[in-house]
């Protein structure tokens, strides 16, 4: 396999350089894991639109951090978030 999916946190720039050198494609993932209070819709932060701006700030931070990294082929918006 020649692809890796990152975790929710920004990686060191050296990681992306190593991926480029070794021919690895990167799926970068935003730090928007908001289900830490449980999965019930009435408890989870992903169902509360007051957190939308914070989630968007994290997505913008991720894309700004890796926008010029040749190895990044796609940005994941996370798998634990929803649109308000």
């Amino acid at each position: 396999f020649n692809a890796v999916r990152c975790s929710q946190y920004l990686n060191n720039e050296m990681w992306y350089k190593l991926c480029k050198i070794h021919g690895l494609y990167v799926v970068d993932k935003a730090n928007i894991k908001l289900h830490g209070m449980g999965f019930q819709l009435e408890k989870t932060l992903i169902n509360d639109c007051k957190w939308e701006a914070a989630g968007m700030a994290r997505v913008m931070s991720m894309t700004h951090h890796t926008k010029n990294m040749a190895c990044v082929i796609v940005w994941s918006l996370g798998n634990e978030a929803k649109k308000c």
Side-chain angles (χ1 to χ4, degrees):
F1 294 20
N2 65 338
V4 291
R5 177 177 170 245
C6 293
S7 65
Q8 287 87 3
Y9 306 102
L10 295 176
N11 291 292
N12 187 293
E13 287 192 28
M14 180 56 75
W15 165 248
Y16 299 100
K17 289 178 184 177
L18 288 170
C19 287
K20 179 181 175 186
I21 290 168
H22 295 287
L24 293 173
Y25 294 118
V26 175
V27 176
D28 219 6
K29 185 174 178 188
N31 177 17
I32 52 175
K33 190 171 188 171
L34 300 174
H35 65 67
M37 301 174 74
F39 289 101
Q40 296 87 10
L41 284 178
E42 64 276 0
K43 292 184 179 179
T44 183
L45 296 177
I46 65 170
N47 201 40
D48 187 346
C49 290
K50 292 183 278 189
W51 290 92
E52 185 175 1
M56 183 58 74
R58 290 176 178 200
V59 170
M60 296 300 293
S61 174
M62 172 196 59
T63 55
H64 178 72
H65 181 257
T66 59
K67 65 184 175 189
N68 292 320
M69 304 287 183
C71 60
V72 176
I73 58 168
V74 67
W75 289 302
S76 170
L77 299 181
N79 59 331
E80 295 94 0
K82 78 174 204 72
K83 185 178 185 319
C84 292

